[in-house]
Amino acid sequence: MRYFELRCVAYLKKEMAFERSFELLSKYISFCMYQEGEGEVHQKEGFKYYVFSGFKPKDEDIQKKTYRGGEPYPFTIRSLDETLIDTLSTTLRQNINNENLLVVEAHKKTISQFFITELYSATPVIVSVSNGKYWTMNESGDIVQLQKQLHENLEKKYQSFFGESLHVNQNFIQLIEIKNKVPQNILITKEGKSIRFFGNKFRIVPNEDEVSQKLAFVALACGVGEKNSYGGGFMLGRGMR
């Protein structure tokens, strides 16, 4: 099993607030997908099989929570779908008329499955609960339900992409630790209305069995939880290659 990633650098044409950056980058990526007929990935219901990190801020940006215009910022896109990554490697740099940013570098890398000891979320992990709300300690606090939904989401992604079932004996999560004190969020705008997806930052220790390791690898490949095409659930991994 492999996943594919693009390590990119974007030149920001204007100042950009942290909370606006996920939506603007998501729209930039989806626009570039449409240029080569990959837009059906966004149009169809179901999993998109890709995830992206946010821009990596510079030290001086953090206090203001704003990315500066006229500066380069790195970000990463990952996917199980090599065709999608190959398409974006070209079209991301062709979108020169975007008013907010321009991708000036996009380097492809192939990562083969390796043994994963820990996962860390770099962007908020979004998990839906009842009544249109999202999992937080205040809204739910049910850790068992959280682990169940995270596992089921990854299992469905695997089965949908590879077309085969997994023989699951246990939840892929051995340990989960919440790293944020207050809920994190991703802001988007739909039909003129602002919508916030609330989530959390986690440290996850996966189990060592074969199925758990496959699901941990899928977590790196296309994100944990929901709203991955908006940047939710982008994970960093530690392990033995």
Side-chain angles (χ1 to χ4, degrees):
M1 186 160 56
R2 300 180 300 172
Y3 70 73
F4 309 91
E5 72 177 25
L6 287 178
R7 296 186 178 182
C8 306
V9 175
Y11 173 82
L12 301 194
K13 298 179 180 179
K14 60 178 70 173
E15 189 176 90
M16 184 184 299
F18 280 10
E19 70 171 10
R20 294 289 299 160
S21 63
F22 284 100
E23 179 181 19
L24 294 176
L25 188 50
S26 175
K27 287 181 176 179
Y28 188 101
I29 293 169
S30 61
F31 176 86
C32 293
M33 288 164 59
Y34 275 98
Q35 302 314 294
E36 292 293 329
E38 293 291 334
E40 65 270 14
V41 173
H42 262 274
Q43 289 179 323
K44 69 180 182 181
E45 295 295 324
F47 302 116
K48 311 297 192 252
Y49 308 119
Y50 76 92
V51 66
F52 65 89
S53 70
F55 298 122
K56 184 178 180 180
K58 305 177 191 299
D59 291 342
E60 54 268 35
D61 302 328
I62 294 173
Q63 186 173 358
K64 293 177 63 178
K65 295 185 177 180
T66 302
Y67 299 107
R68 292 178 296 167
E71 294 284 341
Y73 289 90
F75 71 98
T76 300
I77 305 172
R78 293 204 196 114
S79 181
L80 288 168
D81 186 344
E82 185 174 15
T83 300
L84 175 60
I85 289 296
D86 287 341
T87 296
L88 289 174
S89 69
T90 300
T91 58
L92 285 171
R93 288 170 290 171
Q94 293 175 342
N95 188 10
I96 61 175
N97 295 320
N98 186 280
E99 64 179 350
N100 298 295
L101 63 105
L102 172 65
V103 173
V104 293
E105 294 182 27
H107 302 290
K108 179 184 174 184
K109 187 173 182 180
T110 302
I111 293 87
S112 297
Q113 187 179 357
F114 61 95
F115 185 85
I116 298 168
T117 56
E118 291 179 300
L119 295 167
Y120 299 88
S121 50
T123 63
V125 176
I126 314 297
V127 178
S128 297
V129 293
S130 58
N131 302 319
K133 297 182 182 295
Y134 300 96
W135 196 98
T136 64
M137 286 300 293
N138 289 335
E139 289 295 342
S140 175
D142 187 339
I143 299 294
V144 173
Q145 181 63 26
L146 171 67
Q147 290 185 209
K148 181 176 182 289
Q149 287 187 235
L150 292 176
H151 176 100
E152 290 178 348
N153 176 271
L154 287 172
E155 188 178 345
K156 289 175 182 176
K157 286 172 181 171
Y158 179 93
Q159 292 178 352
S160 175
F161 186 82
F162 292 105
E164 63 181 32
S165 297
L166 291 169
H167 300 291
V168 177
N169 295 317
Q170 62 181 338
N171 193 291
F172 92 101
I173 297 173
Q174 179 184 146
L175 172 71
I176 187 166
E177 179 184 356
I178 301 172
K179 302 301 292 183
N180 52 286
K181 294 182 179 179
V182 296
Q184 311 291 298
N185 70 85
I186 290 176
L187 174 68
I188 67 164
T189 304
K190 279 191 174 182
E191 299 176 354
K193 296 181 180 179
S194 294
I195 301 171
R196 291 186 187 272
F197 304 128
F198 287 94
N200 299 272
K201 299 284 187 71
F202 297 122
R203 170 180 172 259
I204 294 173
V205 177
N207 281 303
E208 297 181 1
D209 62 280
E210 181 181 358
V211 170
S212 295
Q213 286 294 310
K214 283 183 177 181
L215 294 180
F217 191 74
V218 171
L220 287 176
C222 51
V224 168
E226 305 161 26
K227 314 302 180 186
N228 307 129
S229 62
Y230 290 110
F234 185 91
M235 308 300 287
L236 305 175
R238 179 178 295 171
M240 295 177 288
R241 297 175 186 259

